[in-house]
Amino acid sequence: MTDSADHCSVWTVPADHPALAGHFPGDPLLPATVILDWLDELASEAFGRGLAGASTQAKFLRPARPGERLQARLSAKPNGGFGFEIRIGAELAVSGRSMPASGPSA
């Protein structure tokens, strides 16, 4: 994804992250919810809105493990949504998009 409205960030998964404790003993991996929380924070910083109330689709292609460096790129779309990719090294780990919810908000 390349666009003048791209927002990039990097995060290294801490070996002592609390979500790793039970996910999974002996073979820890970062739960998808933690990755989505990080994306929510990045989108809020970049675009002034996060994932809450949006229609979000994500494909998790590879697990993230302790000590790995995650590289996120969020790209604004003309419809008010954004696309995203997370890479671990050169490997695509997560891809997806988030679009504003249609209809009245609650």
Side-chain angles (χ1 to χ4, degrees):
M1 289 184 258
T2 55
D3 186 293
S4 60
D6 283 3
H7 178 79
C8 299
S9 186
V10 175
W11 180 50
T12 300
V13 179
D16 62 349
H17 192 287
L20 297 170
H23 210 261
F24 295 95
D27 189 23
L29 59 92
L30 193 66
T33 56
V34 176
I35 295 171
L36 290 173
D37 284 346
W38 181 48
L39 282 170
D40 180 55
E41 182 180 316
L42 294 176
S44 293
E45 291 172 8
F47 309 122
R49 62 192 177 288
L51 303 179
S55 173
T56 302
Q57 298 176 351
K59 185 180 283 189
F60 294 82
L61 305 167
R62 176 202 189 285
R65 301 196 179 278
E68 291 187 317
R69 184 174 184 254
L70 282 63
Q71 304 167 12
R73 179 182 303 267
L74 285 69
S75 300
K77 301 297 179 195
N79 63 2
F82 61 92
F84 55 86
E85 290 183 347
I86 297 177
R87 294 188 175 274
I88 299 172
E91 196 173 353
L92 182 61
V94 183
S95 66
R97 66 180 182 211
S98 185
M99 312 240 270
S102 58
S105 59

